[in-house]
Amino acid sequence: MRNTFGNSLTITLFGESHGEAIGVTIDGLSSGIRIDEEFLNSMMDKRKPKGTISTMRKESDEIHIVSGVFNGYTTGTPLTIIINNENTISKDYESTKDLARPSHADYSADKRYLGYQDYRGGGHFSGRLTAPIVAAGAICMMELKTRSIKIASHIKRIGNIEDDDFNFEKIDTEMEKLNSQYFAVLNDEAGEKMQDLIEKMRNSLDSVGGVIETVVTGFPEGVGEPYFDSVESIISHGLFSIGAIKAVEFGDGIMMSEMMGSKANDAFRIKDGKVITTTNHNGGINGGITNGMPITIHSFIKPTPSIARIQDTVNFKTMNNETIEIKGRHDPCIVHRIRVVIDSMVAIALTDLLMMRSTTLTFNEEHKS
C-alpha cells in the first residue's frame, strides 16, 4: 500500500474522513522557507464549504504543524501537519456500509483491503483528505514564491456554462483576481449563472461537474524529463490522485487532434533577448520539458457521486441486488472547492520537478569539476 507522491520532494497522506485526524508529512523541503500562516489559512479557507452550494459539514481545519518548523522557518527535516476532524456524523454510514454507492470506492476498497477499510464517510478515499493536500500545497507555494513562480485557476465551466478565457496580456492582473476569490471566475455574470445551476442541482437532488483551467507563470525552461518523468507525467500523476478528476489535458489538449500542424505548431521567436513562442498550443511543454512559456492545464471533474436520489446498487456481502438512498451532507458540485486543491497539487508537483532538476544540475556540476 502506498500513500506517498513525489521523487525529490514527497508528501504522504494519512487519516480517514471520520477518524480522529487527517494529515500529511512533507519530506525534502528546503530549509529556511518562511511559514506564512496568514497565507496558509487563506488557502484552507478557499476549500471550506460555504452557503447552500456546498456540503453542510463544517470543519475548522485548524493547522497543527508538529515537526519540521522552528522559529517560523522550515528546518529541512520532515514537516508534519495534523488537522483534527471535529464534525463527524458516522451513523449516516452504518446502515449502508455493505452497499456499493454508485461511482464511489466502496466496492473496490472492500476488495482491495479485504473488508478492513474504514467505511465511514468514505474513509481514506474521502474528499476530506484533500485538506492536507491544500496545506502541503500552500507550503510548496511559499517556496515557489521565492522563485517568482505563480499559480492560479478559474472555473472554466460548470455544466454547460462557460467562463471567459485567460487574457495573457493581462495575466498577472487576472491571476491576482482569481487568487483573491472563493468562487474563482473571470466573468462575474457567468459565475452567478454557475451558482444558480448548482443551486438547481441541489434542489433537484442531483449534482453537476465541470472544468478547472490552471495557468503557471514564471516557471523556468529546461525542467522535466523526456519520458517517464515528463512534466505532464508528474503533474497528471498528482492530479489523478484527486478522486473527482477524470481527465487532464495540457495546452489545447484534445483540440490539437483536430488541428493541422501548421496551426498547432508554436513558432519560436526572440523577444527582449528571450526565446518565446508566438502561440502556446502546447501549454509551455515540449518533449516533456518546460520551454519557459506559461504552463496551461485543464482538469475535468465528474459530478459529485453522492446524490439523494434512489439508485440501483448491490450488497457486496449478501450478493443481492438492492437500491440505495444516500443520506448525509454532500456537495451538489465540488468544482469551486476543488480549484484550490488543484492549485495545491500543481504546486507540489512543480516543487518536486524543480528539486529533481536541482539534484541533476548539482550532480553534473560536481562531475564537471
Side-chain angles (χ1 to χ4, degrees):
M1 186 171 73
R2 179 173 166 83
N3 295 284
T4 298
F5 167 76
N7 295 287
S8 294
L9 175 126
T10 64
I11 66 164
T12 300
L13 294 179
F14 58 87
E16 293 80 31
S17 178
H18 286 214
E20 182 177 339
I22 54 177
V24 61
T25 295
I26 315 168
D27 200 3
L29 277 172
S30 302
S31 58
I33 304 169
R34 187 178 73 83
I35 299 300
D36 185 340
E37 293 186 6
E38 182 178 352
F39 174 71
L40 181 54
N41 289 329
S42 72
M43 287 284 287
M44 298 302 295
D45 189 63
K46 289 174 186 174
R47 186 194 159 278
K48 290 180 180 178
K50 297 179 182 180
T52 57
I53 63 171
S54 304
T55 177
M56 297 308 292
R57 178 178 177 178
K58 311 292 184 182
E59 295 279 1
S60 66
D61 282 347
E62 184 176 342
I63 299 298
H64 301 281
I65 300 177
V66 298
S67 69
V69 175
F70 183 65
N71 287 335
Y73 291 84
T74 58
T75 62
T77 56
L79 190 156
T80 297
I81 293 171
I82 292 176
I83 304 169
N84 290 324
N85 289 324
E86 301 168 338
N87 187 11
T88 59
I89 305 178
S90 299
K91 64 179 179 61
D92 288 338
Y93 299 90
E94 189 62 35
S95 62
T96 59
K97 63 184 177 67
D98 297 331
L99 300 181
R101 291 173 297 166
S103 290
H104 279 276
D106 303 323
Y107 175 67
S108 53
D110 185 76
K111 295 294 111 179
R112 172 66 177 82
Y113 298 109
L114 307 178
Y116 290 100
Q117 74 281 359
D118 185 344
Y119 56 80
R120 301 168 301 169
H124 192 64
F125 295 87
S126 170
R128 179 79 185 121
L129 271 292
T130 60
I133 290 176
V134 172
I139 290 173
C140 287
M141 284 183 188
M142 296 173 200
E143 173 146 345
L144 295 177
K145 184 179 179 182
T146 66
R147 305 169 188 248
S148 299
I149 298 168
K150 299 177 183 177
I151 302 170
S153 296
H154 72 121
I155 304 166
K156 177 60 180 163
R157 177 170 57 80
I158 289 182
N160 60 358
I161 302 170
E162 292 215 10
D163 191 21
D164 293 344
D165 292 325
F166 278 115
N167 180 348
F168 282 91
E169 293 182 359
K170 302 178 180 178
I171 192 62
D172 288 338
T173 301
E174 290 187 342
M175 293 176 79
E176 185 176 348
K177 173 188 176 181
L178 293 172
N179 284 332
S180 68
Q181 293 177 316
Y182 174 71
F183 198 94
V185 290
L186 296 168
N187 185 316
D188 295 336
E189 183 178 347
E192 291 175 5
K193 291 179 180 178
M194 291 176 184
Q195 292 180 67
D196 289 343
L197 176 60
I198 296 172
E199 190 70 42
K200 181 180 178 180
M201 291 297 103
R202 183 183 70 86
N203 292 333
S204 62
L205 306 181
D206 215 332
S207 62
V208 65
V211 181
I212 294 290
E213 183 178 28
T214 303
V215 64
V216 181
T217 62
F219 200 77
E221 63 271 29
V223 178
E225 301 293 340
Y227 288 100
F228 308 115
D229 285 331
S230 69
V231 174
E232 296 102 325
S233 299
I234 297 294
I235 293 175
S236 58
H237 181 182
L239 289 175
F240 279 126
S241 300
I242 304 168
I245 294 180
K246 301 304 290 184
V248 175
E249 64 180 19
F250 294 84
D252 287 349
I254 294 170
M255 288 178 56
M256 292 187 75
S257 67
E258 303 172 6
M259 296 180 181
M260 300 298 103
S262 56
K263 298 294 184 182
N265 289 345
D266 298 314
F268 286 99
R269 306 298 292 168
I270 300 294
K271 182 178 180 181
D272 300 327
K274 182 179 179 181
V275 175
I276 65 162
T277 60
T278 55
T279 55
N280 194 26
H281 300 300
N282 288 277
I285 306 165
N286 295 131
I289 299 169
T290 55
N291 63 19
M293 295 296 288
I295 299 171
T296 57
I297 309 162
H298 290 88
S299 302
F300 295 78
I301 296 100
K302 71 178 183 179
T304 317
S306 292
I307 57 175
R309 295 186 178 191
I310 297 175
Q311 301 176 82
D312 289 334
T313 189
V314 297
N315 184 312
F316 48 80
K317 296 300 183 186
T318 65
M319 296 301 289
N320 291 322
N321 291 320
E322 295 196 25
T323 59
I324 186 171
E325 185 177 4
I326 297 174
K327 307 292 184 182
R329 304 161 293 172
H330 308 290
D331 295 87
C333 179
I334 60 169
V335 177
H336 57 291
R337 293 180 61 204
I338 208 172
R339 178 265 305 211
V340 70
V341 184
I342 289 170
D343 283 352
S344 299
M345 187 57 84
V346 169
I348 293 164
L350 293 178
T351 304
D352 184 28
L353 281 161
L354 282 173
M355 290 185 171
M356 290 166 65
R357 179 176 187 252
S358 297
T359 300
T360 301
L361 290 176
T362 300
F363 177 84
N364 289 340
E365 287 300 319
E366 287 177 349
H367 279 257
K368 278 183 183 179
S369 59

